[in-house]
Amino acid sequence: MVEKHSVPGGNLTGWDREGYHIDNCIHWLTGTNPVMDGYAMWKELGALGNVGIYRADALYSYEKGGQRVSLLRDLEKLREELIALSPEDRWETEALIRAVGAMKAVNGVSGVDNSRRSTAAERARALPALLKYLPMTCGDLAKRFKSPVIRGFFESLLTESFGAIGILSVLATFCADDGDLPVGASLAMARRMAARFTGLGGKLRCGTGVRKINISGGRAESAVLDDGRILRADSFILAADPASAFGGLLDPGLMPKALSRRYENRKLRRFSSCHCAFACELSSLPFKGNLILELSEELKAELGARNLILREYSHEKGFAPSGKSVLQTMFFCSEGASRSIIALSEKPGEYEAFKLGIARKTEDFICRRFPELSGKLRLLDVWTPATYKRYTGAEMGSYMSFAFSSGIVPTFLSGRVRGVKNLFLATQWQQAPGGLPIAAKAGRAAAEAAARIKA
């Protein structure tokens, strides 16, 4: 295995700054319920097994106009909270809760304590409750509610143009105990997986990228590394961003046509985000978990984003020195904004000023909402789409694949590269919206295909 960065894991990573740990990747990990196939996959990969799982009561909370709504694990409590918040939306809330329950069954989880696999009959019975949401975006779903805070919540979690089926899946995954946090977070998980790989005899080469893959006679023959070394193998599995790999490592004409069409599909969009990490002089922050705040109109214009997501890590005792805590923030960037930031990074002085500007505006906004944090925050780091591109090679700094709009049912693409018998893709781009489970699924499919070729 060849890894461009000095540590394995790609986006599944974290780093230390001044005695604090910054986590980059996992907001929730699909596959944490032991009854699911995803859990067995993670256990086989060394990611889960003898590892603690942190299960919070709420995944995200959203604030607007002095009101707050939270995505609660307990569906009945979520129903009660939404109805208490907005009695006039009772009918729509009841329909939504039924749809989330149906999505749980379709995803494979059943039982009052989420301890049983759903049957084929249960999955079939559940499908009709989901059909009315398929043509909707999250914005369309939000408009069905009268409450401004409930509307804002559904527009903020995945953005308003994302398919409503996506948000139902997020709610169902969390409520099924299948979307939680492995203790140690992202970097620890990457290290466990690397140890599993090397423990089975795999060789890991970090700190050098691949410059080119040589193709001859319909076969991949060798890989030329950035340092000039040449590696030969029976098969090659490509885990890089296809938009960078085809046209870089490989002829652009080799990209699978089905994948090319996804890049061209206007209902599938790419995105990235900007982040800040702050050291806090307090032992705890004035919120728990993940909190979404709507930005002021001024900041919406300046940052090109509608909401700011705050994250705290009180469940990870080793992430901050005793008596202190770490606060991280993020806001989403469109493909156009991401490309502009990447272009700006070619001008170091302007780029550094841009990052410091983000940090200052973010800190000011947080302290206006939470005055008790004034004078208690200190900037640790800022990272942007340009950071992701530099470390992972992703063309526009994407760390997920395609955000899908209404009417899209995500399907998995084969990793075969037509015309090259022993070259396979193992990327999150083979199924929207990407992420760790899709990447792992693609890796398994590629490894099995490569084994069949060798046999």
Side-chain angles (χ1 to χ4, degrees):
M1 179 185 292
V2 177
E3 167 65 55
K4 177 181 179 181
H5 193 21
S6 59
V7 294
N11 288 310
L12 182 64
T13 195
W15 55 93
D16 295 328
R17 289 288 185 275
E18 302 176 28
Y20 294 82
H21 185 73
I22 298 170
D23 184 65
N24 177 68
C25 186
I26 303 174
H27 284 226
W28 71 86
L29 180 67
T30 303
T32 56
N33 188 328
V35 305
M36 297 296 287
D37 292 340
Y39 183 89
M41 176 186 69
W42 289 130
K43 187 175 180 180
E44 181 183 3
L45 290 170
L48 296 179
N50 297 321
V51 180
I53 298 295
Y54 174 68
R55 289 194 160 98
D57 292 331
L59 181 59
Y60 283 93
S61 296
Y62 173 80
E63 272 192 6
K64 183 173 183 175
Q67 292 183 305
R68 180 180 293 190
V69 61
S70 298
L71 197 176
L72 299 175
R73 181 180 301 278
D74 186 312
L75 265 182
E76 179 57 25
K77 288 183 179 178
L78 177 60
R79 185 188 74 84
E80 291 172 357
E81 178 177 295
L82 293 177
I83 291 174
L85 192 62
S86 181
E88 63 268 35
D89 287 317
R90 182 186 188 100
W91 186 89
E92 200 62 52
T93 293
E94 299 280 11
L96 176 76
I97 297 300
R98 286 194 298 272
V100 174
M103 183 64 83
K104 280 178 59 178
V106 168
N107 286 349
V109 179
S110 188
V112 293
D113 57 354
N114 301 316
S115 61
R116 181 173 64 81
R117 291 295 298 270
S118 57
T119 65
E122 286 173 325
R123 293 193 290 274
R125 287 196 299 270
L127 281 173
L130 303 176
L131 293 179
K132 81 169 187 178
Y133 295 96
L134 183 59
M136 296 185 201
T137 64
C138 291
D140 295 331
L141 174 61
K143 289 173 185 173
R144 300 176 74 90
F145 290 84
K146 297 180 177 63
S147 164
V149 67
I150 296 177
R151 293 177 67 164
F153 175 75
F154 287 123
E155 291 172 343
S156 69
L157 189 57
L158 297 177
T159 74
E160 59 190 295
S161 59
F162 208 103
I165 287 294
I167 202 166
L168 291 179
S169 185
V170 172
L171 269 69
T173 298
F174 182 66
C175 293
D177 297 332
D178 196 42
D180 297 294
L181 298 171
V183 172
S186 305
L187 181 59
M189 179 170 160
R191 285 173 171 165
R192 290 192 299 271
M193 294 173 70
R196 172 70 169 157
F197 175 74
T198 56
L200 292 172
K203 294 182 179 179
L204 181 61
R205 296 175 174 90
C206 293
T208 184
V210 176
R211 186 188 308 164
K212 183 181 180 182
I213 296 177
N214 293 316
I215 308 291
S216 179
R219 293 183 65 88
E221 291 191 334
S222 61
V224 182
L225 305 189
D226 287 341
D227 61 10
R229 285 183 294 169
I230 296 178
L231 298 181
R232 301 183 186 278
D234 295 327
S235 294
F236 293 82
I237 297 175
L238 184 67
D241 181 350
S244 294
F246 291 96
L249 311 181
L250 295 160
D251 187 302
L254 289 174
M255 181 183 283
K257 299 302 182 187
L259 184 56
S260 295
R261 288 193 291 270
R262 291 193 176 181
Y263 280 100
E264 296 163 2
N265 189 337
R266 297 183 67 179
K267 283 202 165 187
L268 298 173
R269 298 168 313 284
R270 292 183 287 174
F271 64 96
S272 187
S273 53
C274 290
H275 306 248
C276 298
F278 298 93
C280 179
E281 295 299 318
L282 301 176
S283 59
S284 63
L285 291 163
F287 66 93
K288 284 292 184 184
N290 304 295
L291 177 63
I292 306 173
L293 300 175
E294 184 174 1
L295 292 168
S296 65
E297 293 303 319
E298 178 185 4
L299 279 178
K300 287 178 185 177
E302 290 183 1
L303 298 180
R306 182 172 180 174
N307 299 291
L308 184 70
I309 301 175
L310 311 185
R311 302 188 69 195
E312 62 88 34
Y313 295 86
S314 58
H315 60 284
E316 292 284 3
K317 301 305 180 185
F319 277 25
S322 178
K324 303 181 188 302
S325 52
V326 61
L327 166 62
Q328 293 183 202
T329 73
M330 68 174 287
F331 63 84
F332 292 113
C333 303
S334 67
E335 180 171 345
S338 298
R339 292 189 184 279
S340 295
I341 293 169
I342 289 169
L344 185 64
S345 69
E346 299 297 321
K347 304 173 183 177
E350 293 182 33
Y351 179 59
E352 288 303 315
F354 168 77
K355 291 199 297 181
L356 290 175
I358 288 175
R360 178 183 54 77
K361 293 167 187 173
T362 298
E363 182 178 355
D364 287 348
F365 177 77
I366 292 170
C367 291
R368 284 199 298 273
R369 170 59 187 86
F370 299 110
E372 60 268 44
L373 296 180
S374 295
K376 303 294 184 182
L377 300 180
R378 177 169 52 83
L379 182 65
L380 293 171
D381 208 351
V382 180
W383 60 109
T384 75
T387 314
Y388 288 117
K389 181 174 184 180
R390 186 168 74 253
Y391 281 98
T392 69
E395 184 203 25
M396 49 144 291
S398 302
Y399 48 82
M400 296 282 286
S401 66
F402 303 103
F404 59 90
S405 189
S406 58
I408 298 288
V409 177
T411 55
F412 185 75
L413 289 180
S414 165
R416 288 189 172 274
V417 178
R418 180 169 295 183
V420 187
K421 184 177 181 181
N422 62 334
L423 178 63
F424 308 94
L425 301 182
T427 79
Q428 62 172 338
W429 298 88
Q430 288 161 244
Q431 184 175 333
L436 298 173
I438 302 264
K441 175 183 175 181
R444 166 175 281 177
E448 291 173 348
R452 288 194 295 269
I453 290 291
K454 188 174 181 180

